[in-house]
Amino acid sequence: MAFLEIEDGVRPRDAAGIDAQITRARAFAEWVKTEERRGENRPSQALEDYAGAEAPPRVALYRNTADEILHTLPEGSLIFVPNPDLTRNGMFGELVAPDAPRIRFRGAGHRSEFSYLGRRLKNVKNLPMQNLDPDFFRPMRKRVWTHEYAARETELLYRQYYGDFEIIGRKAVAEIEVTRRRVSGTDLNIIGALTTLVDETLARVERGDREQLTMHNVVFMQPDPQGPVLHANIGSPGSVLVESVTRRVAPVVKVIMVLALAGYVGADVWDMVQARNLVLENTDGLAGVADAQLAETHEKTYAFVRASGADSLDEILEYVRDFHARTGGRVDGHVHHNE
C-alpha cells in the first residue's frame, strides 16, 4: 500500500485516518494497474481528499495485513520473500523488533514514484527459486500478502537459511554413517520408517497401549502432523541424519542397528531381554555418553523389544541388515556376548 503515513511505534490499526490511507493506496494501485489507466488523471495524493470517501472492498483485510507485517509478527520471524521470476533469487531474513524504526523505500517499475512503509529484515540471504519444491509456489498464485508455511516447507526454509539446526526440546538426532557411493530413496524410506516405528512404539509404551506395530503398519500409518521428521544430509560417502520429533528415540535406533550388525535375529534379542541378558556398557565405542543417558537407553530398549514382539523384531532387523548391505552403513558401537 503506497504512501502510508504511520509513525514509528504506532500500530497501523490504531493510526489516524488509516481507512482513508487505505482508500488512497487502493486508488493508486488501481491507477497503475494497466497502461490504459495510467493514461488517465493521476489520483490525488492529498489525504484530505479521501476523507468521507467510500472505503474499498476488504478494507479490514488491508488494515489487518498492514498491522500484521508492521507490528504483530514477532522479532526474529523468518520472512521469505519469493521472486515471481522463478529463474532468479528470492530472499529471506529475520524481522527486527516491531518497535524499531520503520523504513521508507521506493517501488519498482511503474511504482517507482510511490513510497512505501516497511519493516527491516536483518541477515538477509538469497535463495534460488529453482531450489524450491512446487509446494512453495501455490500460495504465490493466491491473492494473499502473508502466508505461514506448513511444517515441511518451514523445515526446508530453516535448513536453507540456518544450515543444520535443532529446535530445542523437540528433536533427537542420530547420525548414520554411509560408506558407499550411492544412497537411494528406498534407503531413506527404510530409515524413516524405522525411526517412526521406534517413536510410535515408545509412545504406546508410555501410555500403556499394548497393541504391537509392524513395519507394514508404519508404512501405511496416517501421517501425524507432530510426528517424526526425517532430514537426510547425504554426502558421497556421507551421512544420513535421522531426526525424531517429540521423543528421544535415536539411541534405541542405534542399539537396534548394532544388534542387526552383530548377527542377532529377533528371537535371540527377545530371549536376551526376557532374561535381562542384553546389557549396554559404556565402552570406548560409547565414549561421551553419560551414565544416566545410557541407563535410559537401556530401559527404553528393553521396553521397545517387549512391546514389539519377536516377529516384529525379525522384520526390523531384516530391513536394517538390508540397508547396511546396500549402503555400507556403520554404527559407532559394538556388541559382545559373555557366556
Side-chain angles (χ1 to χ4, degrees):
M1 289 181 283
F3 306 117
L4 288 186
E5 300 170 2
I6 304 172
E7 294 182 5
D8 291 343
V10 175
R11 294 190 64 163
R13 71 178 188 186
D14 300 329
I18 182 61
D19 286 0
Q21 293 191 51
I22 293 172
T23 303
R24 177 178 60 183
R26 295 309 305 156
F28 275 94
E30 289 296 323
W31 177 74
V32 80
K33 186 178 293 185
T34 65
E35 186 174 353
E36 291 78 11
R37 293 187 183 183
R38 289 193 298 275
E40 300 171 0
N41 292 332
R42 175 186 169 109
S44 172
Q45 196 170 327
L47 188 59
E48 58 268 21
D49 290 341
Y50 297 90
E54 183 180 355
R58 306 199 302 171
V59 64
L61 177 61
Y62 291 108
R63 188 192 312 120
N64 292 337
T65 300
D67 197 70
E68 178 184 29
I69 294 175
L70 296 175
H71 184 82
T72 58
L73 285 174
E75 179 181 8
S77 296
L78 184 62
I79 304 298
F80 171 58
V81 185
N83 194 319
D85 184 347
L86 302 186
T87 66
R88 304 184 68 181
N89 290 341
M91 70 175 186
F92 50 178
E94 298 172 320
L95 275 179
V96 299
D99 56 356
R102 297 180 180 126
I103 60 171
R104 295 192 178 277
F105 58 95
R106 290 284 179 178
H110 295 300
R111 297 171 177 81
S112 60
E113 296 182 6
F114 299 176
S115 68
Y116 294 87
L117 190 63
R119 187 167 160 194
R120 190 178 298 279
L121 293 176
K122 62 182 180 180
N123 302 323
V124 174
K125 299 182 181 181
N126 290 323
L127 173 64
M129 297 296 292
Q130 293 176 333
N131 287 2
L132 297 176
D133 186 275
D135 286 343
F136 281 90
F137 306 137
R138 293 191 181 101
M140 296 169 57
R141 302 188 187 107
K142 301 176 182 178
R143 193 177 180 184
V144 295
W145 290 270
T146 62
H147 172 79
E148 184 174 2
Y149 281 108
R152 175 179 173 275
E153 287 78 24
T154 300
E155 295 272 347
L156 292 174
L157 282 178
Y158 280 177
R159 297 229 170 262
Q160 292 279 354
Y161 187 79
Y162 296 110
D164 283 336
F165 75 100
E166 180 177 355
I167 300 176
I168 302 300
R170 281 188 54 209
K171 295 193 175 182
V173 181
E175 186 169 285
I176 303 161
E177 186 178 359
V178 294
T179 57
R180 300 255 175 107
R181 285 286 173 184
R182 179 171 177 79
V183 177
S184 69
T186 301
D187 302 324
L188 299 182
N189 288 338
I190 291 172
I191 293 300
L194 176 62
T195 308
T196 303
L197 177 61
V198 176
D199 187 86
E200 286 289 335
T201 302
L202 288 174
R204 290 171 185 241
V205 169
E206 291 172 5
R207 62 177 179 259
D209 183 350
R210 297 303 177 189
E211 180 184 355
Q212 294 180 359
L213 288 173
T214 66
M215 289 290 277
H216 184 269
N217 297 139
V218 169
V219 169
F220 295 100
M221 183 179 291
Q222 183 69 22
D224 180 358
Q226 301 302 320
V229 173
L230 175 67
H231 167 61
N233 181 13
I234 305 172
S236 299
S239 62
V240 179
L241 289 176
V242 179
E243 301 174 352
S244 175
V245 175
T246 308
R247 286 169 288 275
R248 289 190 293 154
V249 305
V252 182
V253 174
K254 235 172 199 186
V255 169
I256 297 297
M257 289 186 172
V258 171
L259 293 172
L261 289 181
Y264 291 105
V265 297
D268 295 335
V269 179
W270 174 266
D271 291 341
M272 292 167 68
V273 167
Q274 305 315 307
R276 298 196 70 82
N277 288 334
L278 175 61
V279 179
L280 305 184
E281 297 177 350
N282 199 348
T283 63
D284 291 341
L286 293 173
V289 178
D291 290 340
Q293 183 181 358
L294 191 65
E296 180 187 10
T297 301
H298 196 166
E299 290 308 311
K300 281 192 174 184
T301 303
Y302 270 52
F304 173 76
V305 170
R306 290 186 177 124
S308 300
D311 291 340
S312 181
L313 279 173
D314 265 332
E315 190 176 11
I316 293 170
L317 296 177
E318 179 182 348
Y319 277 112
V320 174
R321 276 191 287 269
D322 182 60
F323 170 79
H324 281 297
R326 286 181 295 106
T327 66
R330 293 204 302 261
V331 179
D332 59 349
H334 66 275
V335 175
H336 64 84
H337 186 75
N338 292 327
E339 298 294 332

